[in-house]
Amino acid sequence: MELQHLRTFEAVLLHRTVTDGAVALGLAPSSVSQQIRTLEAGLGVALFERGPRGMTPTPAGLRLRGWARRLLDQAEQARLDVRGERQRLRLGALETLVGSHVPGVVARLAARRPDLAVEPHADRNRAQLLADLVGERLDAALLLDSGAGLGGLGFPAPSEPLAFVDLEPVPLALVAAPDHALAGKALAPADLTAERLLVNVPECSFWMAGERVLGAGPERVRVGGVPAMRAWAEQGLGISLLPAFAVDESLRAGRLVRLDLPVPELSLRLVWRADRERLPGLRDMLYAAAG
């Protein structure tokens, strides 16, 4: 088994067709097909069933999947060691978390494994983070979620095997300007029906949390990311459901107040591919992230 053949096998496994796998690798489809046939001939088994809907892995192909990833990871580790370079771990995170939570993870990992280097990647798009995990462009990702399974907050989870651990709760705060008419009153979701709820986009964690807590009642006013929602709320232009860490300073300074409506916590969730747990350094990242 040549490493290039294993990389090609992984690309076809991921993209489900020879053509899409070839595009991802920058190769001609004929070259990809030939490499798969050579790999199958060398192993003496069929790795894919060819059909009108693409390439479906056989039981042998599914067994090879884990071996291929481990062999490629070991080859990369050997390359870095021979060159005297540090092992890199690619950690993705939602932009909201880059300043609040990622530095602590990186610092703890540096103390535990100074021979490892963390390469952070920030993204506004949770779907892109998950796609990069599935496509192995990231080794792990930090995002916000809730519930017992991935996507419990309300976003679709990939079908590929992803594992996760909840690191810590992330409290939310429903906030408004100090002179808001509802400030200081015990509230129920129905009391907010006539309010303007400052939001970002439907894919935003806090939009999804608002759907669960407040329902469809308040008018949604799209103003942008967390800084914009906070600033608009401070100016009395609406109310907003935001992570407590993003509004603590404004609350202490008296620019915002919490509205008296119970809201659930979200979870800071570290996600990774279950079939890559043996990646060198990944378990150290998990321990470092958990503190």
Side-chain angles (χ1 to χ4, degrees):
M1 292 183 292
E2 296 185 12
L3 294 178
Q4 181 57 48
H5 293 166
L6 294 178
R7 293 189 186 94
T8 301
F9 164 78
E10 278 198 331
V12 174
L13 194 65
L14 174 62
H15 295 283
R16 302 296 186 182
T17 70
V18 167
T19 300
D20 290 343
V23 170
L25 294 168
L27 298 174
S30 58
S31 175
V32 169
S33 294
Q34 181 59 52
Q35 289 188 44
I36 295 297
R37 287 195 296 268
T38 300
L39 183 58
E40 289 177 322
L43 291 171
V45 294
L47 300 174
F48 293 99
E49 293 179 359
R50 282 77 168 169
R53 295 187 177 182
M55 307 280 278
T56 302
T58 64
L62 292 175
R63 288 194 294 272
L64 180 60
R65 178 177 187 168
W67 282 106
R69 179 36 44 196
R70 287 195 293 274
L71 290 168
L72 290 170
D73 285 340
Q74 288 179 341
E76 175 63 10
Q77 188 180 16
R79 185 186 71 83
L80 292 172
D81 183 63
V82 169
R83 291 167 61 92
E85 299 177 3
R86 292 195 294 170
Q87 175 74 33
R88 292 184 302 110
L89 288 173
R90 300 160 297 176
L91 175 63
L94 291 174
E95 281 190 348
T96 307
L97 305 173
V98 170
S100 59
H101 293 82
V102 173
V105 173
V106 174
R108 290 192 294 270
L109 183 58
R112 178 183 288 272
R113 287 285 302 275
D115 58 312
L116 295 176
V118 176
E119 185 178 295
H121 296 262
D123 205 303
R124 296 181 182 179
N125 190 320
R126 181 193 306 101
Q128 186 60 54
L129 285 178
L130 293 173
D132 286 342
L133 275 180
V134 170
E136 299 180 8
R137 294 178 293 275
L138 290 176
D139 301 313
L142 283 170
L143 48 81
L144 297 173
D145 201 359
S146 65
L150 187 64
L153 184 58
F155 58 85
S159 59
E160 282 75 3
L162 297 181
F164 67 86
V165 62
D166 287 336
L167 305 180
E168 60 184 81
V170 179
L172 299 177
L174 184 64
V175 296
D179 58 354
H180 194 282
L182 297 180
K185 299 179 180 180
L187 302 173
D191 298 319
L192 304 175
T193 301
E195 296 299 318
R196 291 159 51 91
L197 181 64
L198 307 170
V199 294
N200 186 3
V201 293
E203 296 78 19
C204 172
S205 302
F206 313 120
W207 178 304
M208 294 181 187
E211 293 287 311
R212 295 164 67 97
V213 175
L214 307 176
E219 175 192 2
R220 268 58 173 180
V221 179
R222 297 192 189 187
V223 298
V226 169
M229 287 187 276
R230 181 179 59 229
W232 279 54
E234 289 177 353
Q235 295 301 316
L237 300 174
I239 63 175
S240 196
L241 184 64
L242 292 169
F245 67 77
V247 295
D248 281 343
E249 182 179 346
S250 295
L251 292 170
R252 287 193 299 268
R255 297 190 298 271
L256 289 174
V257 295
R258 286 178 182 260
L259 297 182
D260 188 8
L261 178 72
V263 294
E265 298 175 327
L266 298 182
S267 293
L268 178 66
R269 188 162 280 182
L270 183 69
V271 186
W272 65 95
R273 281 190 64 122
D275 57 357
R276 299 200 72 200
E277 286 192 2
R278 296 185 183 182
L279 178 70
L282 181 56
R283 287 195 175 276
D284 291 285
M285 179 184 285
L286 302 181
Y287 295 142

